[in-house]
Amino acid sequence: MSDADFMREALALAAEAARAGEVPVGAVVVKEGRVIGRGYNRPISSNDPTAHAEIVALREAAGAEGNYRLPGCELYVTLEPCAMCIGAMVHARLARVVYGAPDPKTGACGSVVDLTSLATNHHTDFEGGVLAGECGAALRAFFAERRQR
């Protein structure tokens, strides 16, 4: 499967978040071409400020692997990660993170701040812009509908 295929899986999860009234962000963790963790935003419904799509997907993947470290794994997320999520991704030892739309409010891959360039004990590759149009459209549609209410 390609980056676009995995991002489409993340987009499907983002749609679940929107149906639940959460900001539509979805994420999948992939190991050797197989999804081992899935998540979508749920901080409102779970009363948990850390329940971002990425964190939920990382928790599921870590449980599936029986290890908090996920070397060789990739994470696909529909929105540029925030500072909290980047910290978790680096601690998980992910090989690569691929995101869709930039986040001009909290994006920590260069939109607001670039935490990806900091030297740490592990290097994770970050790549943005995969299906950015589709990912951004889902967010715009969600917020447009909320403004109509």
Side-chain angles (χ1 to χ4, degrees):
M1 290 179 65
S2 69
D3 287 349
D5 293 326
F6 288 122
M7 190 62 74
R8 283 187 189 92
E9 289 199 36
L11 275 164
L13 290 164
E16 285 189 47
R19 285 190 292 276
E22 302 272 4
V23 174
V25 178
V28 295
V29 176
V30 175
K31 181 178 184 178
E32 298 171 352
R34 181 176 56 87
V35 176
I36 62 167
R38 292 173 175 80
Y40 59 85
N41 266 6
R42 53 182 81 165
I44 298 167
S45 60
S46 66
N47 296 312
D48 179 357
T50 69
H52 290 194
E54 301 96 309
I55 302 296
V56 174
L58 285 170
R59 287 178 180 153
E60 185 173 292
E65 291 293 296
N67 192 345
Y68 75 99
R69 291 186 174 162
L70 300 168
C73 293
E74 300 172 316
L75 186 144
Y76 294 81
V77 61
T78 58
L79 183 64
E80 179 182 359
C82 71
M84 173 186 70
C85 291
I86 288 193
M89 292 166 185
V90 170
H91 283 289
R93 309 278 199 281
L94 293 175
R96 183 170 174 243
V97 173
V98 179
Y99 64 91
D103 184 350
K105 295 189 178 194
T106 64
C109 295
S111 288
V112 175
V113 66
D114 187 3
L115 296 181
T116 67
S117 64
L118 297 177
T120 62
N121 63 332
H122 173 77
H123 179 74
T124 299
D125 291 325
F126 289 83
E127 177 185 337
V130 174
L131 299 184
E134 292 177 46
C135 295
L139 288 156
R140 285 189 300 278
F142 176 80
F143 287 112
E145 180 186 329
R146 292 195 71 147
R147 285 190 294 274
Q148 298 280 323
R149 294 180 185 177

